[in-house]
Short mmCIF file of all heavy atoms in Angstrom, two decimals:
data_model
loop_
_atom_site.label_atom_id
_atom_site.label_comp_id
_atom_site.label_asym_id
_atom_site.label_seq_id
_atom_site.Cartn_x
_atom_site.Cartn_y
_atom_site.Cartn_z
N GLU O 45 154.65 -159.86 147.34
CA GLU O 45 154.91 -160.87 148.37
C GLU O 45 155.88 -160.43 149.42
O GLU O 45 156.84 -161.04 149.75
CB GLU O 45 155.51 -162.17 147.70
CG GLU O 45 154.49 -162.79 146.67
CD GLU O 45 155.10 -164.06 146.01
OE1 GLU O 45 156.33 -164.15 146.04
OE2 GLU O 45 154.30 -164.82 145.48
N VAL O 46 155.57 -159.30 149.93
CA VAL O 46 156.38 -158.77 150.98
C VAL O 46 156.26 -159.56 152.31
O VAL O 46 155.27 -160.17 152.51
CB VAL O 46 156.04 -157.23 151.23
CG1 VAL O 46 156.32 -156.46 149.94
CG2 VAL O 46 154.68 -157.07 151.76
N ASP O 47 157.20 -159.43 153.15
CA ASP O 47 157.13 -160.17 154.44
C ASP O 47 156.40 -159.33 155.50
O ASP O 47 155.87 -159.99 156.43
CB ASP O 47 158.55 -160.38 154.96
CG ASP O 47 159.37 -161.27 154.01
OD1 ASP O 47 158.98 -162.50 153.91
OD2 ASP O 47 160.24 -160.86 153.25
N ALA O 48 156.35 -158.04 155.36
CA ALA O 48 155.53 -157.29 156.27
C ALA O 48 155.29 -155.89 155.64
O ALA O 48 156.02 -155.48 154.79
CB ALA O 48 156.28 -157.10 157.57
N VAL O 49 154.20 -155.34 156.10
CA VAL O 49 153.95 -153.94 155.73
C VAL O 49 154.16 -153.08 156.99
O VAL O 49 153.53 -153.32 158.03
CB VAL O 49 152.50 -153.72 155.27
CG1 VAL O 49 152.25 -152.32 154.75
CG2 VAL O 49 152.23 -154.70 154.11
N LEU O 50 155.09 -152.10 156.82
CA LEU O 50 155.37 -151.16 157.98
C LEU O 50 154.64 -149.84 157.71
O LEU O 50 154.86 -149.17 156.63
CB LEU O 50 156.83 -150.91 158.08
CG LEU O 50 157.65 -152.24 158.19
CD1 LEU O 50 159.13 -151.78 158.38
CD2 LEU O 50 157.24 -153.02 159.38
N VAL O 51 153.76 -149.42 158.59
CA VAL O 51 153.02 -148.13 158.43
C VAL O 51 153.60 -147.19 159.49
O VAL O 51 153.31 -147.45 160.63
CB VAL O 51 151.49 -148.37 158.59
CG1 VAL O 51 150.85 -147.03 158.11
CG2 VAL O 51 151.03 -149.46 157.64
N ALA O 52 154.32 -146.16 159.05
CA ALA O 52 155.11 -145.37 160.03
C ALA O 52 154.32 -144.14 160.53
O ALA O 52 154.74 -143.00 160.40
CB ALA O 52 156.33 -144.90 159.34
N GLY O 53 153.17 -144.45 161.10
CA GLY O 53 152.47 -143.38 161.84
C GLY O 53 151.41 -142.62 161.06
O GLY O 53 151.34 -142.70 159.88
N ASP O 54 150.56 -141.95 161.86
CA ASP O 54 149.42 -141.19 161.26
C ASP O 54 148.53 -142.00 160.37
O ASP O 54 148.15 -141.63 159.24
CB ASP O 54 149.93 -139.96 160.53
CG ASP O 54 150.35 -138.81 161.51
OD1 ASP O 54 150.18 -139.02 162.76
OD2 ASP O 54 150.77 -137.76 160.98
N VAL O 55 148.26 -143.30 160.90
CA VAL O 55 147.30 -144.09 160.08
C VAL O 55 145.90 -143.35 160.11
O VAL O 55 145.34 -143.29 159.04
CB VAL O 55 147.20 -145.47 160.85
CG1 VAL O 55 146.09 -146.32 160.10
CG2 VAL O 55 148.56 -146.15 160.75
N PHE O 56 145.64 -142.83 161.25
CA PHE O 56 144.28 -142.09 161.33
C PHE O 56 144.67 -140.62 161.38
O PHE O 56 145.69 -140.22 161.96
CB PHE O 56 143.48 -142.53 162.55
CG PHE O 56 142.99 -143.93 162.52
CD1 PHE O 56 143.68 -144.94 163.18
CD2 PHE O 56 141.88 -144.24 161.75
CE1 PHE O 56 143.14 -146.25 163.14
CE2 PHE O 56 141.34 -145.52 161.68
CZ PHE O 56 142.06 -146.57 162.36
N ASP O 57 143.72 -139.81 160.91
CA ASP O 57 143.95 -138.40 160.98
C ASP O 57 143.64 -137.78 162.33
O ASP O 57 144.16 -136.72 162.63
CB ASP O 57 143.01 -137.68 159.87
CG ASP O 57 143.24 -136.15 159.92
OD1 ASP O 57 144.38 -135.81 159.62
OD2 ASP O 57 142.27 -135.43 160.16
N ALA O 58 142.80 -138.50 163.09
CA ALA O 58 142.52 -137.95 164.40
C ALA O 58 142.03 -139.08 165.29
O ALA O 58 141.66 -140.19 164.86
CB ALA O 58 141.39 -136.91 164.28
N GLN O 59 142.01 -138.75 166.61
CA GLN O 59 141.56 -139.80 167.59
C GLN O 59 140.08 -140.01 167.40
O GLN O 59 139.54 -141.00 167.76
CB GLN O 59 141.92 -139.27 169.00
CG GLN O 59 143.35 -139.08 169.27
CD GLN O 59 144.21 -140.31 169.39
OE1 GLN O 59 143.64 -141.40 169.27
NE2 GLN O 59 145.46 -140.14 169.70
N SER O 60 139.40 -138.97 166.88
CA SER O 60 137.93 -138.98 167.03
C SER O 60 137.31 -139.35 165.70
O SER O 60 136.26 -138.76 165.34
CB SER O 60 137.47 -137.57 167.44
OG SER O 60 138.10 -136.61 166.71
N VAL O 61 137.96 -140.18 164.92
CA VAL O 61 137.25 -140.64 163.74
C VAL O 61 136.12 -141.58 164.20
O VAL O 61 136.13 -142.13 165.30
CB VAL O 61 138.19 -141.36 162.75
CG1 VAL O 61 139.27 -140.44 162.27
CG2 VAL O 61 138.88 -142.58 163.52
N SER O 62 135.20 -141.83 163.31
CA SER O 62 134.01 -142.62 163.71
C SER O 62 134.41 -144.10 163.75
O SER O 62 135.36 -144.56 163.19
CB SER O 62 132.86 -142.37 162.72
OG SER O 62 133.25 -143.00 161.48
N ASP O 63 133.58 -144.89 164.51
CA ASP O 63 133.74 -146.26 164.60
C ASP O 63 133.76 -146.89 163.24
O ASP O 63 134.42 -147.82 162.92
CB ASP O 63 132.67 -146.95 165.53
CG ASP O 63 132.93 -146.54 166.99
OD1 ASP O 63 133.94 -145.93 167.27
OD2 ASP O 63 132.05 -146.90 167.80
N ARG O 64 132.80 -146.40 162.44
CA ARG O 64 132.67 -146.98 161.09
C ARG O 64 133.96 -146.74 160.30
O ARG O 64 134.35 -147.76 159.60
CB ARG O 64 131.51 -146.23 160.32
CG ARG O 64 131.24 -146.71 158.99
CD ARG O 64 129.95 -146.14 158.45
NE ARG O 64 129.63 -146.68 157.13
CZ ARG O 64 130.16 -146.09 156.00
NH1 ARG O 64 130.87 -145.03 155.98
NH2 ARG O 64 129.86 -146.68 154.76
N THR O 65 134.60 -145.66 160.38
CA THR O 65 135.80 -145.46 159.64
C THR O 65 136.90 -146.42 160.18
O THR O 65 137.66 -146.99 159.33
CB THR O 65 136.33 -143.97 159.91
OG1 THR O 65 135.28 -143.10 159.47
CG2 THR O 65 137.60 -143.74 159.18
N ILE O 66 136.91 -146.65 161.47
CA ILE O 66 137.91 -147.62 162.07
C ILE O 66 137.71 -148.97 161.41
O ILE O 66 138.60 -149.68 160.98
CB ILE O 66 137.83 -147.64 163.53
CG1 ILE O 66 138.25 -146.28 164.15
CG2 ILE O 66 138.65 -148.73 164.20
CD1 ILE O 66 137.96 -146.16 165.64
N ARG O 67 136.43 -149.39 161.44
CA ARG O 67 136.17 -150.74 160.98
C ARG O 67 136.46 -150.84 159.50
O ARG O 67 136.93 -151.87 159.01
CB ARG O 67 134.64 -151.07 161.19
CG ARG O 67 134.27 -151.26 162.61
CD ARG O 67 132.77 -151.48 162.67
NE ARG O 67 132.18 -151.29 164.03
CZ ARG O 67 132.35 -152.23 165.03
NH1 ARG O 67 132.95 -153.42 164.78
NH2 ARG O 67 131.73 -152.00 166.20
N GLN O 68 136.14 -149.81 158.75
CA GLN O 68 136.42 -149.83 157.30
C GLN O 68 137.89 -150.01 156.98
O GLN O 68 138.31 -150.76 156.13
CB GLN O 68 135.91 -148.51 156.61
CG GLN O 68 134.42 -148.53 156.40
CD GLN O 68 133.98 -147.14 155.80
OE1 GLN O 68 134.56 -146.13 155.99
NE2 GLN O 68 133.01 -147.21 154.85
N LEU O 69 138.68 -149.33 157.77
CA LEU O 69 140.19 -149.38 157.54
C LEU O 69 140.65 -150.80 157.77
O LEU O 69 141.27 -151.41 156.87
CB LEU O 69 140.94 -148.47 158.43
CG LEU O 69 142.42 -148.67 158.30
CD1 LEU O 69 142.97 -148.23 156.97
CD2 LEU O 69 143.18 -148.05 159.41
N PHE O 70 140.28 -151.34 158.94
CA PHE O 70 140.88 -152.67 159.29
C PHE O 70 140.37 -153.74 158.29
O PHE O 70 141.02 -154.73 158.07
CB PHE O 70 140.59 -153.04 160.71
CG PHE O 70 141.52 -152.23 161.64
CD1 PHE O 70 141.07 -151.15 162.40
CD2 PHE O 70 142.85 -152.65 161.76
CE1 PHE O 70 141.90 -150.43 163.23
CE2 PHE O 70 143.74 -151.98 162.61
CZ PHE O 70 143.29 -150.79 163.37
#
Side-chain angles (χ1 to χ4, degrees):
Chain O
E45 297 179 342
V46 298
D47 295 290
V49 182
L50 306 182
V51 189
D54 284 358
V55 174
F56 293 102
D57 183 57
Q59 301 285 3
S60 51
V61 296
S62 68
D63 287 355
R64 181 169 180 272
T65 302
I66 293 172
R67 289 180 197 279
Q68 281 181 326
L69 172 73
F70 284 104

